[in-house]
Each structure stands twice: as structure tokens, then as C-alpha cells.
Amino acid sequence: MIFATIHGERVPALGFGTWHLRGDAGCDAVRYAIDVGYRHIDTAARYENEAEVGRAVARSGLPRSDFFVATKLHYLELDPDQIERRTVEGLERLDMSQVDLLMPHWPSPTYPVGPIMQALREVQKKGYARHIGMSNFPVARMREAASAFGAPLFGNQVEYHPFLDQTAILRELRGEGMLLTACIPLARGAIVGEPVLEDIARAHRRTTAQVTLRWLVQQEGVIAIPKSGQRERIKDNFEIFDFTLTAEEMARIGALRGGRRLVDPDWAPVVWDPPAARPAPVA
Ligand SMILES: NC(=O)c1ccc[n+]([C@@H]2O[C@H](COP(=O)([O-])OP(=O)(O)OC[C@H]3O[C@@H](n4cnc5c(N)ncnc54)[C@H](OP(=O)(O)O)[C@@H]3O)[C@@H](O)[C@H]2O)c1
């Protein structure tokens, strides 16, 4: 495992995404991921599977302190006066007294960022969440959030894969000593068949998914949370710690970056950060 360091603490750089993993099959998938070695698990109120995640963690028999559990408050449940109640409800579903990371799932379409972040700070002070982060916040919102929060934030969970340029957000996060959690890291499977990734995968005798995940966690300040409901892929996606991409390979993948955003719902923030200028192609 590679670890990222945030505010002096080590966080597993490869986590397990759980969107769509519900019911017994969802719980079994998380349980299997734990057997494989994942210790960082990402869930959300909106995924309606916090109970399954909590059950899988409990059934592993491992101490709670072995895990880094992240969850998110529903973007429609960000009334600052209700944030503590929503947080406690999430903890009840997880059957945990504290999460390691709590984020608003999206900037609220209704409430301003400042009071939301102040309410989250109170939740943190009460011990319900060890870290507070953001999800789907463009740079301008990140700055507003950080200034209202008034204490170190964990980072920002945003869509990030080889086809989506996130230079602006990554630069801002690094400057502030925060982490970027790459959600949708496999571009929901669209990485399979991409010629540059296939070429590099062949050279390392790896899959395109492994090369993509390696590319993400090999970047400073980036962690990733791939999801799979299939045992073989859950295991494959974890086997990325015994090879390294060269600087040239990292740059070749980096040069694929563009504006292919897969998740852009009606409630998404307004204006996303524009892509950086395209890098020069690597010879
Ligand atoms: N903050 C947010 O707004 C937000 C948004 C989206 C996602 N997320 C989080 O990020 C996690 C990951 O994102 P995601 O699930 O949308 O997308 P993803 O991890 O990029 O891709 C998951 C998809 O790729 C397939 N897949 C998994 N491993 C593969 C492999 N080795 N080769 C080929 N295909 C593979 C999976 O199918 P199988 O299951 O059939 O293997 C699934 O359809 C989510 O589960 C969630 O925890 C957060």
C-alpha cells in the first residue's frame, strides 16, 4: 500500500468505492475488498449503503482503527441547522461513533458554503468526524469553504481520470497541503482499449485499470477510490503496489487529459474550472 500524508496522518492512497453496492451482494463486495487488503472505504448517504459498509467492517473482525471510512452528506441535506442531525443519522446507519472523513457530497444548490462549513466544524469538534473535506467543489468554492472552516481541511473528492484535466484543483489542493481523492478513477471502464494505456499496460504486463490507478496514486497528493462489484476486478485493482511507472509513462498518460467529464448532474456547481493548456506531447 502507498499512503498519502495529511495533517501528519497516513491515509491509504487506494480506497474502495461503493456506489451501487447495496444489499447482501454489496456487503459481500466490501467484505471481500477488506480481505484483499483495502482499508479505506468510501460511501455516502446518497448511495444508501452506509449500513452495508458498516456491516462489512464489523464482520471483518478487524479493529475499527484499522480503517479509514469516508462518507458524504446528501447535497439536499445541507441545511446548516440540520447537519449535525444528518451526520448522526449517517453514523447510526454505519453503526460507528465517528467517521474518518465527512464531506458535503456537492456544494449545496440552496445554502451558502460558509454556514455549511461552520456547521461541519462543529460536528468535527464534537468528535463525529476526524476530518472534514469537500466533494465536487471547484476552486472558488474550495477557497470560500476553507476560509469559513477556519481549520485544516482534508481535501476535495472530484472526478479524476486520464481523460479529465483537474490541474487547477490539484494545484490549489497541493498549495494548501490537501489531498485530491479521485472518484470515477477508471472513467467507469472507458479506460479499457485506450491505446496509450493499453501500450503501457502491455509493457508492464498489467491491465489498463492497474496502470490508470497506478498513474493516479503515483501523483503527489492524489488518492483514488475505484469501485467494482466483481471479485476478480476488486483484487486486480488492488495489485498496483509492486510496479512503478516511469516519468515518461506518467507524462504520456498525463497528455491524454481533456474535458471528458462523466458526472455533471443538474445540481452540479455552476462553473467548473477550465482545463489547463495542453502539455506538449512526449516524444
Ligand atoms: N463524490 C462524487 O460525487 C462521486 C461520484 C461518483 C463516484 N464516487 C465514488 O467513487 C467511486 C468510484 O467511481 P465509479 O464507481 O463511479 O466509477 P469507476 O470506479 O471509475 O468505475 C467503476 C466501473 O468500472 C468497472 N470496473 C471496475 N474495475 C474494472 C476493471 N479493472 N476493468 C474494467 N472495468 C472495471 C465497474 O464494473 P464492475 O462493478 O462490474 O466491475 C464499474 O462499472 C464510487 O463507487 C464512489 O464511491 C463519488
Side-chain angles (χ1 to χ4, degrees), residues 77-151:
E77 296 177 350
L78 293 174
D79 174 346
D81 293 336
Q82 297 295 321
I83 279 186
E84 181 175 332
R85 186 162 74 84
R86 298 299 186 188
T87 302
V88 170
E89 287 169 357
L91 288 171
E92 284 169 1
R93 289 189 291 269
L94 282 159
D95 197 17
M96 292 175 186
S97 56
Q98 184 184 57
V99 282
D100 299 283
L101 173 60
L102 179 68
M103 299 158 271
H105 205 142
W106 292 84
S108 167
T110 316
Y111 300 97
V113 171
I116 291 173
M117 297 312 293
Q118 285 155 6
L120 285 167
R121 179 74 181 124
E122 290 310 308
V123 157
Q124 184 185 36
K125 281 184 186 162
K126 289 190 176 173
Y128 295 130
R130 289 197 313 113
H131 296 280
I132 301 294
M134 304 161 274
S135 181
N136 298 304
F137 278 41
V139 169
R141 290 285 180 90
M142 277 169 53
R143 288 181 183 158
E144 265 183 79
S147 119
F149 192 68

Side-chain angles (χ1 to χ4, degrees), residues 1-248:
M1 177 57 72
I2 295 177
F3 292 87
T5 303
I6 180 78
H7 313 317
E9 183 191 334
R10 280 157 34 107
V11 177
L14 190 73
F16 187 61
T18 66
W19 197 33
H20 290 311
L21 297 178
R22 292 198 199 99
D24 288 343
C27 183
D28 286 350
V30 178
R31 185 69 195 78
Y32 180 70
I34 294 169
D35 282 347
V36 163
Y38 294 83
R39 293 292 179 269
H40 169 169
I41 301 170
D42 180 78
T43 179
R46 186 171 159 78
Y47 303 166
E48 296 176 357
N49 66 1
E50 288 170 310
E52 286 88 332
V53 167
R55 256 199 321 276
V57 167
R59 284 183 189 166
S60 74
L62 296 168
R64 168 69 182 87
S65 55
D66 280 12
F67 292 92
F68 186 89
V69 176
T71 194
K72 312 178 205 87
L73 296 168
H74 195 295
Y75 67 97
L76 291 178
E77 296 177 350
L78 293 174
D79 174 346
D81 293 336
Q82 297 295 321
I83 279 186
E84 181 175 332
R85 186 162 74 84
R86 298 299 186 188
T87 302
V88 170
E89 287 169 357
L91 288 171
E92 284 169 1
R93 289 189 291 269
L94 282 159
D95 197 17
M96 292 175 186
S97 56
Q98 184 184 57
V99 282
D100 299 283
L101 173 60
L102 179 68
M103 299 158 271
H105 205 142
W106 292 84
S108 167
T110 316
Y111 300 97
V113 171
I116 291 173
M117 297 312 293
Q118 285 155 6
L120 285 167
R121 179 74 181 124
E122 290 310 308
V123 157
Q124 184 185 36
K125 281 184 186 162
K126 289 190 176 173
Y128 295 130
R130 289 197 313 113
H131 296 280
I132 301 294
M134 304 161 274
S135 181
N136 298 304
F137 278 41
V139 169
R141 290 285 180 90
M142 277 169 53
R143 288 181 183 158
E144 265 183 79
S147 119
F149 192 68
L153 282 163
F154 180 88
N156 197 1
Q157 181 179 129
V158 290
E159 177 173 347
Y160 187 32
H161 46 68
F163 311 130
L164 182 63
D165 181 25
Q166 289 290 24
T167 305
I169 286 179
L170 187 50
R171 190 177 292 142
E172 177 78 12
L173 288 166
R174 282 178 179 159
E176 299 300 322
M178 293 192 275
L179 298 179
L180 188 156
T181 303
C183 68
I184 322 175
L186 303 173
R188 299 205 166 138
I191 43 130
V192 177
E194 198 294 319
V196 169
L197 295 170
E198 293 285 356
D199 188 42
I200 295 172
R202 251 190 317 275
H204 287 274
R205 294 172 191 255
R206 297 285 166 158
T207 63
T208 48
Q210 288 170 329
V211 164
T212 301
L213 295 171
R214 182 73 210 185
W215 172 74
L216 285 164
V217 303
Q218 216 173 291
Q219 295 173 55
E220 183 205 328
V222 177
I223 64 182
I225 48 168
K227 170 263 171 184
S228 175
Q230 300 185 39
R231 287 187 166 217
E232 196 179 315
R233 287 175 171 176
I234 292 173
K235 189 165 181 299
D236 273 6
N237 294 346
F238 194 75
E239 291 175 346
I240 62 165
F241 303 110
D242 55 352
F243 75 107
T244 310
L245 298 174
T246 65
E248 190 206 339

